[in-house]
Amino acid sequence: VQLQASGGGLVQPGGSLRLSCAASGFPLDDFAIGWIRQAPGKEREGVSCISRSGDSTHYASSVKGRFTVSRDNAENTVWLQMDSLKPEDTAVYYCATALGCYGGGDYFPGVYDFWGQGTLVTVSS
């Protein structure tokens, strides 16, 4: 059973990246999926959450209008499209499972129970 985030890298301010969250060993459509990030020396911060069906999406105010979450349950994958990236978006990004998007786009301990390994996003010129 594994959840793996990938697609991070170095990008200039204003650029774009697309992160993927792939599940193996279990059906991803049993769960809502959240994206959470953690910058060096800072607390975990919620980024986005998508419902099991994909019909409902939620975003933190800091990324709303710039990031888009989507999923394809047939491919067992969730994506996070990140546009207009800013230096303050630099962080390790994690995807995690939840029974529902109870925190909206924000992070609350206890909402997310199974985490994948993160992927580092660095926004710098």
Side-chain angles (χ1 to χ4, degrees):
V1 176
Q2 191 175 11
L3 199 62
Q4 180 67 54
S6 61
L10 174 64
V11 63
Q12 291 188 339
S16 297
L17 280 175
R18 190 190 197 203
L19 305 185
S20 299
C21 175
S24 58
F26 69 98
L28 205 59
D29 59 1
D30 281 354
F31 303 97
I33 300 296
W35 288 95
I36 304 100
R37 66 187 182 186
Q38 187 165 22
K42 294 190 176 181
E43 300 286 324
R44 285 176 177 171
E45 177 189 15
V47 175
S48 181
C49 185
I50 186 166
S51 64
R52 285 183 290 179
S53 66
D55 289 347
S56 179
T57 58
H58 308 267
Y59 299 93
S61 57
S62 58
V63 306
K64 203 167 189 178
R66 301 188 297 121
F67 290 11
T68 304
V69 63
S70 61
R71 68 190 297 161
D72 186 332
N73 288 334
E75 295 191 17
N76 235 25
T77 304
V78 172
W79 294 276
L80 183 70
Q81 177 68 39
M82 306 188 297
D83 298 317
S84 303
L85 282 162
K86 304 176 181 180
E88 51 263 43
D89 294 319
T90 295
V92 176
Y93 284 70
Y94 301 90
C95 57
T97 63
L99 295 180
C101 294
Y102 300 122
D106 297 319
Y107 172 73
F108 294 96
V111 171
Y112 297 105
D113 43 29
F114 183 60
W115 294 65
Q117 288 188 326
T119 185
L120 176 63
V121 172
T122 303
V123 185
S124 175
S125 54

